[in-house]
Amino acid sequence: MADTRSFRCKNNLVKLGDSKASALSICGEPVIKDQFCKKPDAQVSTPSANGSTTVINSACESVDEWTYNPGTGQFMTTLRFESGTLTAIKYGERVK
């Protein structure tokens, strides 16, 4: 899959940093919607006076992946949103 910074939908561009609402209004409903929880890396605090170490686990981050089929001869395109913001655009296989 190739990465890019923008995706053309209906004569407009969706760009990295755009919101889900903006992408939805520009591109419409995707053919596939996937949602999952991405666990952040555990954060370790400095050891306390008694020698113990505290590990801080924060809540997971909501990740949405929306896949669009732009039509025959074009590439399937997946938009990845983390916490509601577009963070990645990936082109997949060419549509036959």
Side-chain angles (χ1 to χ4, degrees):
M1 286 184 137
D3 290 341
T4 187
R5 295 179 117 6
S6 64
F7 172 56
R8 182 167 299 282
C9 288
K10 303 176 188 173
N11 299 324
N12 284 312
L13 288 177
V14 176
K15 302 173 296 305
L16 295 181
D18 285 353
S19 68
K20 288 193 304 186
S22 176
L24 189 59
S25 71
I26 291 171
C27 298
E29 283 292 327
V31 293
I32 300 170
K33 278 186 176 181
D34 189 24
Q35 184 179 46
F36 58 94
C37 182
K38 180 178 112 179
K39 289 234 178 230
D41 295 331
Q43 299 174 359
V44 178
S45 67
T46 55
S48 65
N50 66 3
S52 66
T53 301
T54 304
V55 176
I56 303 167
N57 288 318
S58 52
C60 67
E61 181 177 12
S62 175
V63 177
D64 293 275
E65 291 188 339
W66 295 356
T67 301
Y68 287 91
N69 178 345
T72 304
Q74 303 298 315
F75 295 96
M76 293 294 283
T77 306
T78 300
L79 307 181
R80 182 183 178 114
F81 299 90
E82 295 183 19
S83 297
T85 301
L86 183 58
T87 59
I89 302 169
K90 295 186 185 259
Y91 291 117
E93 297 293 319
R94 192 177 291 272
V95 178
K96 296 179 183 183

